[in-house]
Structures are given as C-alpha cells and as structure tokens.
Amino acid sequence: MADSQVMSVLAADTPELDLAGHSFVVRGPSPLEGTVEVSGAKNSVLKLMAATLLAEGTYRIANVPRITDVGLMAELLRAIGCKVTLPGQDVGPKQDSGPKQDVGPNQDIGAVLIIEVPAEIEPVAPRGIVDQFRASIEVLGPMLARCGEAVVALPGGDDFGPRPIDMHLQGLAKLGVEAGTVDGYVHARARELRGGAIRLDFPSVGATENLLMAAVRAKGTTVIDNAAREPEVADLCEFLSKMGAQVSGSGSGTLTINGVDHVEALQPVDHSVVGDRIVAATYLAALGIATGEIVVTGVDLDHMAVLCGKLGNMGMEISAEGESIRARVSNRLSSAKFSTLPYPGVATDLKPLLVALLATADGVGSVTENLFAERFRYVDDLRLMGADIRIDSHHVVVEGKERLMAAKVKAPDIRAGAALVIAGLGAQGETTVSDAHHIARGYDDLAGKLNSLGADVSRS
C-alpha cells in the first residue's frame, strides 16, 4: 500500500464507538444455587477473529460470547475490508453513508459469528477503534503475513499499567520485519517473511499469538521458545492447524511453525471457541462469597487446576463432571495466599476477584501480583464496602470480614468491575457498581446469569 493510501485511511472518519454508562445494582446477601453456562473465552475469540485475515473465504466461529469486545473486533475487521455477520446484524465493509453499527454493552451477538474475508484487504487498523481494546494489536501478525505490510495504531484497553509491544516487534524483526512507530502508529513491512529462532523474554500471550500468526506464512521454520502456554493460545493453534498451517508444540513452551508456501494452502474453517476459564472462576469466586452450590458448564477443570486446588484448600468442595464443574460452599471460607503467574499458574485477570473473595474469608490472606504492578485501582472501592485491605508494594494483604457493607462504587476495568459486583453479594444492602460498560467488554450477561443462580442483580 502506498504511503498516500495509508494516510487516506488514517484520515478517514473513525470516531470512538459509544460504550457509555450503565450500572449494576446488587442486593445482598443471598446464597447461590443452580447451573450457569460459560460462553467462549474473550481471550480466545478475539485472536481467532484476527486470524481469519490470513486467508480469503468464509469463517464460522461458534460459542462466541455476547460481549462488547467482539463487537469492537468486528468493527476493526470491517474497517480492514471484511464482512462480519452477527445474529440480527450485518456489519460489512465501511460505507460512505449510513449509521454506525451499535456495538454497545446490550448488543445481541449470539453464539455464531460469520466472517467473510475478501481477496484484497486494507492492512490498516485505525486509531478510533484500536484505542478501545488491547487485543486489536493481534491484527498486526496476520496482516503482515497476508500483505507484507501493516499499519496499526498502538492499542488501548484496560488501564492497569504499561504493557509495551516491544516483544512483538523484536520477534517480528527475527522474521524479517522492519517496524517503527510514528504518531502513535506502528508501521511494519517485510519484503519476505522468513523463519527464525525467537526466544521471548517473558511468555507473553499477545506476543506469542502475533508471532505465531505471522510465522504461518514465513518461508522456512520458525521456533518460538518460552511461548505462552495458555489454553487460549492452544485454541489458536488448533484453529490455524485446521486452516492448513503446520504448527506443533501446542500447549508447551516451544512452538514450531513450518511456513506454508502459498496463501492458497490456507483455507477458511468452522471452529468452536474454548470455554472462558476466567468467567468460570468469577462464578466460583461469587460462590465463595455468597455460599451455596452451583454447577458451571462449558469449561474444562484442567484449565483451572491450580486455582481450583487453592479454592479447595480454602474449603470449597469442587469436582469435575465432564465439561462442567460442581462446587459447594457451606461455611465461610478460610483465607489463603495467592500469587499471579503465567499459565498454568493463577492468571493475573483473577487478582481482583481473589481480593474480593478474601475480603469475606476467615483470617488474613494475600495476593502477590507478578505481572502488572499497577493493577490495584479497585482496592479503594472495596474499602468503601468495608474491606480491610493493605497494599505493600506488589502484594495485597486482606483481613477478611464476615460481612461487607453496601456502597456506591465504580468499575475501573473488566475484571475489577466484576469483582465489585460479586463483592456486593457478600454485602448487606444495595451496592451500585457504575461504569458497567467495562464489565460488558468481557462478560456475557453477568447480571442475568447471577440472577439465574438466585442472586438479586439488576442493570440501571
């Protein structure tokens, strides 16, 4: 793409999407009972959507969660030239006239997503969309693989500390990519992608996925060492393998990719997204606060083994029933110590949920954050609810209380917002969690699903 064409695309009207307001109102306390179904993982479906850019054709992705970030990625693919069909919607290539599609928190995305990728795509990801969610950077790798060039705005998303893309760019350089940042955009080009040996300084999920997708079309063999091992990365490996990519080592710390010679070797596929282990953990944490007995379906207990082992030590009874988890809490849980680590350790996304859980547990517990040092913005809100929390460097020390107090609080990001909602289940009175649009970015009808378990949660 000529520089003049790039500037034309960047200058196009790409206003921020309307993700305003809304609140959760939680009336507690009340025990939970029943069955709740978990949809596909946010941290997988967005990467699968990006991967469709690798080859022309029609893709069908099932088990897609009804979350705002899917709508945002659909809007990004639309800007690149794809047609994205969601139940009740038809989001096609950008037109000169007509209203913007609504991708707000009440969007009905449904279970099956259809993406039609054209023969020619425009390898530019504009700031107006990219600013709003972190996973937007994942289009960089597939656009380079498909077009040999890409212009991508630096990504936005939840604000809990710097998350640079240095490892993405350093790894791409090993594949022959020249990249630089100009006015908040990454400009990347490669005359020819070639395989290489890449060792990541840290098992970054995003870097692993971007490099994996770029390597699919690189000439020769690429080895990514110290790769992320998350189930969502394995889901992407499966998706790419179905397309015709040659990927081995899925689920391990070393991925080997033999690049395909021709783009025609890659074909569109049908795929079902792996269950969301973070959402499943949210319902388990809610149970630990509220007590009761629930069954969480659509998730593999093996993907949550370390967390569930810790919850078991706290007093939660947990067992696997096929692709379901049965959990029971009769009495107040005992406190515990947690540390966030790359998979298979306890995910950093779980930290706010665990702090909320410890706020009502018996004794003094702690959570040590080893990944994002600034992820503490929800602590003051939990304190408003009566939680006894002390921050010591990257450690959070929590002295549990039998009951929290209702308060008006604000969601700073996806998981912290969900943590404040479930904390409300252990509070006496009516808790209001504002800025609920953050929660809608990662949770498919959190209020409705908690209500199906006997909670009293409404949206305002």
Side-chain angles (χ1 to χ4, degrees):
M1 177 184 290
D3 288 343
S4 60
Q5 291 176 290
V6 170
M7 295 308 296
S8 175
V9 173
L10 298 186
D13 180 22
T14 54
E16 289 194 1
L17 303 172
D18 180 12
L19 302 179
H22 304 293
S23 298
F24 280 83
V25 179
V26 187
R27 301 167 188 87
S30 58
L32 302 182
E33 184 177 357
T35 299
V36 61
E37 183 176 5
V38 171
S39 300
K42 165 187 176 291
N43 292 335
S44 181
V45 66
L46 303 178
K47 322 307 174 56
L48 301 180
M49 292 174 72
T52 65
L53 295 173
L54 284 166
E56 177 187 1
T58 300
Y59 300 77
R60 291 173 177 83
I61 304 176
N63 197 29
V64 173
R66 293 181 173 93
I67 58 174
T68 305
D69 274 17
V70 168
L72 287 168
M73 182 61 87
E75 186 76 359
L76 178 54
L77 294 183
R78 174 178 178 258
I80 293 169
C82 302
K83 179 178 179 181
V84 183
T85 304
L86 313 171
Q89 292 188 327
D90 185 356
V91 184
K94 188 173 182 179
Q95 304 296 323
D96 292 333
S97 61
K100 276 273 186 190
Q101 298 292 333
D102 177 14
V103 294
N106 295 318
Q107 178 185 2
D108 183 13
I109 289 177
V112 179
L113 172 69
I114 301 173
I115 301 173
E116 298 172 61
V117 182
E120 299 290 335
I121 63 172
E122 205 162 58
V124 179
R127 180 178 289 123
I129 304 169
V130 170
D131 272 353
Q132 300 180 64
F133 68 125
R134 180 72 183 174
S136 54
I137 194 63
E138 300 284 351
V139 300
L140 177 61
M143 288 199 301
L144 281 166
R146 178 79 178 276
C147 304
E149 59 182 333
V151 178
V152 182
L154 292 172
D158 287 335
D159 183 10
F160 42 77
R163 292 179 289 173
I165 61 168
D166 295 1
M167 279 190 287
H168 299 242
L169 301 183
Q170 290 165 4
L172 288 171
K174 296 288 183 68
L175 302 180
V177 176
E178 297 179 356
T181 303
V182 180
D183 294 330
Y185 282 87
V186 175
H187 293 248
R189 282 191 174 95
R191 291 185 179 179
E192 179 184 62
L193 287 172
R194 57 181 185 273
I198 302 170
R199 179 172 178 81
L200 298 177
D201 294 336
F202 174 84
S204 161
V205 172
T208 298
E209 291 167 334
N210 243 333
L211 297 171
L212 169 63
M213 289 186 281
V216 162
R217 288 283 290 120
K219 185 176 182 179
T221 300
T222 299
V223 177
I224 305 174
D225 198 19
N226 199 26
R229 300 164 56 190
E230 275 76 358
E232 295 79 18
V233 177
D235 202 29
L236 177 60
C237 288
E238 182 182 348
F239 185 85
L240 294 172
S241 295
K242 284 182 179 180
M243 288 180 64
Q246 299 178 31
V247 181
S248 61
S250 176
S252 75
T254 301
L255 295 176
T256 302
I257 307 99
N258 294 315
V260 297
D261 292 334
H262 305 287
V263 69
E264 292 79 10
L266 300 177
Q267 300 295 323
V269 296
D270 295 351
H271 186 79
S272 184
V273 185
V274 68
D276 198 318
R277 60 196 171 97
I278 306 300
V279 172
T282 303
Y283 294 118
L284 294 180
L287 176 70
I289 292 170
T291 72
E293 184 172 0
I294 66 172
V295 176
V296 183
T297 66
V299 68
D300 190 336
L301 180 61
D302 288 344
H303 294 167
M304 305 169 61
V306 172
L307 172 69
C308 287
K310 296 284 286 187
L311 294 176
N313 292 337
M314 294 175 70
M316 185 179 293
E317 300 173 35
I318 301 178
S319 60
E321 297 182 356
E323 289 196 1
S324 299
I325 299 172
R326 180 177 293 275
R328 183 171 180 269
V329 176
S330 302
N331 302 299
R332 187 180 175 197
L333 295 179
S334 300
S335 276
K337 294 182 179 180
F338 293 89
S339 293
T340 64
L341 292 167
Y343 188 84
V346 173
T348 185
D349 276 357
L350 297 177
K351 181 181 177 181
L353 304 164
L354 296 174
V355 173
L357 176 64
L358 292 174
T360 61
D362 185 13
V364 178
S366 65
V367 184
T368 298
E369 174 58 73
N370 292 307
L371 303 178
F372 297 115
E374 296 180 25
R375 198 168 191 170
F376 297 116
R377 299 189 180 188
Y378 55 92
V379 167
D380 285 342
D381 289 280
L382 285 173
R383 286 171 175 157
L384 287 175
M385 300 177 69
D388 187 344
I389 303 173
R390 176 171 54 88
I391 299 174
D392 181 8
S393 183
H394 60 293
H395 309 282
V396 176
V397 180
V398 187
E399 184 168 352
K401 294 191 174 182
E402 189 168 354
R403 187 69 62 206
L404 298 177
M405 302 179 298
K408 292 184 177 181
V409 295
K410 182 182 291 188
D413 60 61
I414 300 172
R415 308 305 173 187
L420 293 170
V421 170
I422 66 171
L425 300 176
Q428 189 70 46
E430 185 174 283
T431 296
T432 301
V433 184
S434 61
D435 283 2
H437 61 280
H438 289 296
I439 300 170
R441 287 186 49 221
Y443 287 87
D444 182 343
D445 191 17
L446 180 61
K449 291 188 176 182
L450 287 172
N451 287 337
S452 73
L453 298 175
D456 186 353
V457 184
S458 59
R459 294 287 300 271
S460 64

